[in-house]
Amino acid sequence: MRVFRLPCWLLIGLAARASAGETRESPAAPDSEPARIVVTGTRDAQAARRDAATAKVIIGREEIEKYGEATVGDLLRRLPGVTVSGAPGSPGEVKMRGLSGAYTQILVDGERIGGHGRNRAGPIDLIPAEMIERIEIVRGGVAEFSAQAVAGTINIVLRDDAGRAQTRLRPGLSEVDGHVSPQIGLQNTGRSGGLSWLFSANANQRDQIADQMRHSLDYDDSGALETEALTHREVTQRTRDASLAPRLTWRLDRANQLSLQLFATHTESEAHGDEHTQALFGTPKAATAHEDSSRERDLWRLGGGWRLRWNDGDTLNLRLGLNGNRERSSTLRNEYDAAGSTSSISDNQTTVREQGSSASLRWAAAEGATHTPAIGAEWTDNRRSEQAATLETGAAAISSNDNLEQRELNAAAYLQDEWRPFETTTLTGGLRREVLHSHTQDSAGAPLIARYGIWAPSLQLAQKFGEAGATVLRSSLARTFRAPRLDDLSGLTVRAPDNSLTRPDRSGNPELRPETAWGFELALERYFDAHSMASANLFTRRITDLIRRELTLGADGRWVSRPVNEGQAQVRGAELEWKLNLTSWLPAGPVLQINGNYTHTQTRDDAGNKLEDTPDQIANLGFEWQPAGPGWKLGGNVNWAHSYTVRLSDQQTRSVGDKTVYDAYVSWAMTRDALLRLSGSNLGGWGSSSRTTAETGGQPVADERIKVAGLPTWQLALELKF
């Protein structure tokens, strides 16, 4: 097996030197027994989850570090109720509870990160996992977060506790199909008087290989087969990124504290692809094709805060933020006929700029015997501009997205109170008012403005039973909403180069209303000890003003896809989760932890159709084994998603096959300050398979089957502390 080659031996040599250096400084007594390292990372996260007034899943630093992932997207795949589209190791859309990513709110330190784009999806794959302190999944709506969270909220909390002075270095290597890529991470923390700091820097290179086989059938207007082709597509992509995240905290006195945090990342990628088409019937559009694409992105977020704490414990928090994003991408595609002559050339150039600002003010009373009220206000202003140009076979074909200007203003105010009528009972009630103003333009460039406001009440109950509150019953009722995509609100129409039922033009709808939803949750949690728990959760959402895309054939003979508000929808589901420490069942010495979760969701509109292109059932089963020997740990996880079929529109249907992904890791704590970790993801080489069919008037239009091969990825990392 080709794994790492020469760079691997250099990394192992560095590890051996670190191990030897530690041994010389602190020799172990010859009669001493090997130290038994107990799993401790889940204790704080589990205790925080048990004692939280609202229902949430908390993933701590220990669990984040297990598999050595480079980005947030890889981490989220194993969390309860969460799926990430695309192959492991590649960027994808984060989805929760059988709904699309548009229903999931993703926050960083409780705030939306810049670079959301037209669909409001945050670029979380740009956040290095090394910078994350914990991840919180908030299942129900709460007043302190935006109500744009029909499926739930994922809050990524970055490291901010300086702790003791320390430097951490994490060099590493990753390998996929013989391509070796370097990675490195650095963290430094310290204090000096009232000033504390935390500095994080990361740099990564990732190689990705996509091998796709597409079997396509196209039919004429009478339903007769016109072409049948088998196309092999292979793409190689290399991505490089570098990020910085310094944080400074000044404690001016016992009452006043100032903080300043910057997150900045630069990403650039290049991809090269080749296609070879075998004609099985008729004459396909192209026999071969070559495509080159590049993308460069700069994203930054600057935040500052002031916290005032009075002697009675009341606190006032003021937070100000600025963010920016610049993205440039280009794609050049050349298609050739069977004789090798150029049949078409497509050149696309896109530049996107985004800038935004935010402010929030929150007052919270000191925790009282029965009440802990809080009140706050928030404001955000985000602007986006896009310039796009397309050249088709030498002739200018201007996209309707050329020189697009968009802006969105969001203002919110809320009040919340944690009421403890009894020592074991907590009721958290809140009311939030959000107002959104979206500015876009029609096909002539004239401004269009959409305004809407949402009242979002919420109520959560946490009732503890038994000794030390080891059993917790939770329930919640909340109103949430999903705002339309900015593109969906515009009056522009984006013309597809090869217009057809499966490749329609896309148009907006300025009259579109936001979806609103009432959601109910009921959960029972049981905490057995510091490392073991089990929970069962039932949830439902009733969505009104459902947004669906409607396909119509215009008078000019072109197919157009347009969003409309269409009826209602129901979401129902159940989630199971367990973390079991089986150490007490084993002979003295080893430690065994079993973790897992299972989610079953049903999403249906009024006609009984499945809502989204996501699986209804997902599950994870993992373990961590710690032998009695000195410092070894090994573990693994199986991620499974069930096959499904969904109607994309009245004319299109898509079927997706099962997914099974195997991950594993082994780590060796050579000393107290040096750890070597080897991890593998997608060890079974899972790819993906899907079939999309289209018909109109009972006649077939297209039938496409796609299979994407998967490749395992290996990572080797050395973690050092100084």
Side-chain angles (χ1 to χ4, degrees):
M1 179 177 60
R2 297 175 296 177
V3 183
F4 310 125
R5 296 175 181 170
L6 180 60
C8 173
W9 299 110
L10 293 177
L11 193 61
I12 293 177
L14 181 60
R17 183 169 183 177
S19 178
E22 178 74 15
T23 303
R24 286 194 300 269
E25 292 178 9
S26 304
D31 296 334
S32 63
E33 296 180 357
R36 180 180 177 183
I37 304 175
V38 178
V39 179
T40 59
T42 55
R43 177 163 188 166
D44 291 340
Q46 185 163 298
R49 175 179 176 176
R50 180 194 62 207
D51 297 334
T54 57
K56 63 176 68 175
V57 177
I58 301 177
I59 308 300
R61 186 66 208 165
E62 171 81 10
E63 199 161 344
I64 292 173
E65 291 179 336
K66 279 183 181 180
Y67 292 87
E69 286 98 348
T71 63
V72 177
D74 295 328
L75 285 171
L76 296 178
R77 298 178 193 273
R78 290 186 293 273
L79 302 188
V82 179
T83 59
V84 182
S85 63
S90 61
E93 183 183 31
V94 179
K95 308 173 184 180
M96 286 181 62
R97 296 176 160 184
L99 295 171
S100 71
Y103 293 92
T104 300
Q105 177 173 235
I106 298 179
L107 307 176
V108 176
D109 290 335
E111 298 180 348
R112 287 175 171 254
I113 193 171
H116 283 74
R118 304 172 182 176
N119 60 357
R120 298 187 172 87
I124 61 169
D125 280 297
L126 301 179
I127 303 175
E130 187 70 16
M131 294 182 175
I132 302 172
E133 180 62 29
R134 68 182 184 275
I135 299 174
E136 302 174 344
I137 300 179
V138 183
R139 288 171 164 164
V142 291
E144 61 182 318
F145 290 155
S146 171
Q148 299 184 61
V150 176
T153 297
I154 298 176
N155 184 30
I156 300 168
V157 181
L158 301 181
R159 290 184 167 184
D160 65 351
D161 184 10
R164 65 185 180 92
Q166 186 181 80
T167 298
R168 299 180 58 174
L169 181 66
R170 189 181 185 274
L173 298 167
S174 66
E175 186 269 352
V176 56
D177 196 37
H179 296 262
V180 179
S181 303
Q183 303 169 351
I184 190 166
L186 174 67
Q187 283 196 350
N188 177 264
T189 58
R191 295 180 183 272
S192 178
L195 174 66
S196 63
W197 66 86
L198 185 149
F199 174 82
S200 296
N202 287 264
N204 300 281
Q205 177 178 298
R206 298 188 300 276
D207 290 319
Q208 296 167 330
I209 300 173
D211 193 315
Q212 181 192 92
M213 188 65 70
R214 182 174 70 249
H215 183 198
S216 56
L217 296 92
D218 292 294
Y219 302 85
D220 60 20
D221 293 339
S222 66
L225 181 64
E226 189 172 39
T227 61
E228 181 179 5
L230 196 62
T231 302
H232 178 236
R233 175 180 172 86
E234 187 172 21
V235 180
T236 301
Q237 177 174 307
R238 170 164 289 182
T239 303
R240 300 182 181 91
D241 63 74
S243 55
L244 293 173
R247 182 184 181 97
L248 300 174
T249 303
W250 294 272
R251 187 177 295 276
L252 304 180
D253 50 43
R254 296 185 62 182
N256 291 275
Q257 177 176 295
L258 300 176
S259 63
L260 182 67
Q261 184 175 28
L262 170 68
F263 173 76
T265 181
H266 172 78
T267 305
E268 55 186 42
S269 63
E270 294 181 351
H272 309 281
D274 289 290
E275 290 184 8
H276 299 274
T277 300
Q278 177 186 358
L280 304 180
F281 182 82
T283 303
K285 180 183 176 184
T288 60
H290 178 78
E291 186 173 289
D292 295 310
S293 63
S294 64
R295 185 180 184 185
E296 186 175 339
R297 187 174 196 173
D298 294 294
L299 175 72
W300 61 272
R301 173 176 173 261
L302 178 65
W306 168 53
R307 188 189 71 186
L308 173 63
R309 184 186 297 274
W310 286 278
N311 292 333
D312 59 2
D314 292 4
T315 59
L316 181 69
N317 282 278
L318 171 66
R319 300 176 70 176
L320 303 174
L322 297 171
N323 63 78
N325 177 56
R326 186 188 65 175
E327 183 177 345
R328 291 179 294 183
S329 61
S330 64
T331 302
L332 177 62
R333 179 181 175 87
N334 292 271
E335 296 183 347
Y336 308 91
D337 59 23
S341 301
T342 302
S343 59
S344 68
I345 299 175
S346 175
D347 188 358
N348 298 275
Q349 306 285 335
T350 304
T351 301
V352 176
R353 291 181 175 87
E354 296 178 350
Q355 58 184 13
S357 56
S358 63
S360 66
L361 183 65
R362 183 178 190 270
W363 169 84
E367 183 173 343
T370 57
H371 288 276
T372 306
I375 187 171
E378 301 168 0
W379 170 83
T380 61
D381 181 1
N382 292 292
R383 302 169 184 258
R384 184 179 189 275
S385 65
E386 178 178 336
Q387 294 80 40
T390 301
L391 294 176
E392 293 282 352
T393 60
I398 301 176
S399 168
S400 57
N401 271 342
D402 194 28
N403 298 320
L404 176 65
E405 300 287 339
Q406 297 172 323
R407 183 183 184 185
E408 186 171 73
L409 298 168
N410 188 345
Y414 66 89
L415 56 90
Q416 181 173 288
D417 183 29
E418 292 183 15
W419 177 40
R420 290 168 294 278
F422 308 102
E423 184 177 354
T424 59
T425 304
T426 303
L427 278 170
T428 304
L431 180 63
R432 184 182 181 94
R433 173 67 173 176
E434 287 195 46
V435 179
L436 277 77
H437 287 201
S438 297
H439 300 248
T440 182
Q441 61 196 60
D442 62 15
S443 56
L448 294 173
I449 301 177
R451 300 183 178 91
Y452 40 84
I454 302 293
W455 288 101
S458 60
L459 180 64
Q460 299 214 20
L461 165 70
Q463 176 66 56
K464 294 183 177 181
F465 300 94
E467 185 177 355
T471 301
V472 184
L473 175 68
R474 299 185 184 274
S475 66
S476 68
L477 178 67
R479 189 173 190 241
T480 55
F481 74 100
R482 171 199 169 192
R485 288 165 42 112
L486 294 178
D487 271 8
D488 289 347
L489 289 170
S490 75
L492 303 176
T493 298
V494 181
R495 293 174 65 88
D498 299 316
N499 184 273
S500 66
L501 188 147
T502 57
R503 298 176 182 85
D505 299 341
R506 293 180 67 88
S507 174
N509 179 4
E511 303 300 321
L512 209 60
R513 300 182 301 276
E515 297 180 5
T516 58
W518 279 100
F520 177 73
E521 307 260 346
L522 180 64
L524 184 64
E525 302 170 354
R526 172 65 178 174
Y527 297 87
F528 304 107
D529 55 41
H531 315 296
S532 301
M533 60 84 63
S535 71
N537 185 63
L538 302 176
F539 60 90
T540 183
R541 301 286 189 272
R542 185 61 176 172
I543 302 173
T544 58
D545 287 329
L546 181 67
I547 299 175
R548 304 301 295 264
R549 297 201 73 87
E550 184 179 69
L551 271 175
T552 57
L553 184 62
D556 57 357
R558 299 183 66 89
W559 287 96
V560 179
S561 172
R562 182 174 182 267
V564 295
N565 290 107
E566 187 178 77
Q568 300 181 339
Q570 186 78 40
V571 180
R572 299 185 182 93
E575 292 173 327
L576 302 176
E577 183 186 4
W578 58 91
K579 299 179 181 180
L580 304 175
N581 191 319
L582 306 181
T583 304
S584 60
W585 296 12
L586 301 174
V591 176
L592 177 61
Q593 183 91 13
I594 302 294
N595 301 325
N597 55 74
Y598 170 76
T599 302
H600 189 177
T601 307
Q602 184 183 68
T603 61
R604 298 292 185 269
D605 62 16
D606 287 339
N609 297 316
K610 178 177 166 61
L611 281 187
E612 300 290 346
D613 190 4
T614 57
D616 291 332
Q617 298 182 63
I618 57 174
N620 286 278
L621 181 62
F623 77 95
E624 183 177 64
W625 169 261
Q626 186 176 328
W632 286 94
K633 287 183 184 179
L634 58 98
N637 187 83
V638 180
N639 173 262
W640 169 81
H642 193 256
S643 59
Y644 62 91
T645 299
V646 58
R647 291 192 66 85
L648 303 177
S649 66
D650 291 339
Q651 296 86 0
Q652 290 179 284
T653 302
R654 185 168 188 253
S655 299
V656 178
D658 285 344
K659 180 183 79 169
T660 305
V661 177
Y662 302 94
D663 300 331
Y665 72 92
V666 58
S667 65
W668 174 36
M670 300 173 293
T671 69
R672 184 182 60 182
D673 297 326
L675 183 142
L676 188 66
R677 187 190 309 272
L678 174 66
S679 59
S681 62
N682 197 22
L683 297 181
W686 174 85
S688 63
S689 62
S690 64
R691 180 184 182 186
T692 304
T693 60
E695 62 176 33
T696 180
Q699 299 289 347
V701 174
D703 188 342
E704 185 177 76
R705 293 177 174 89
I706 296 177
K707 288 187 177 181
V708 180
L711 293 170
T713 300
W714 295 92
Q715 289 186 330
L716 181 65
L718 175 64
E719 301 170 14
L720 301 172
K721 299 178 183 178
F722 305 95

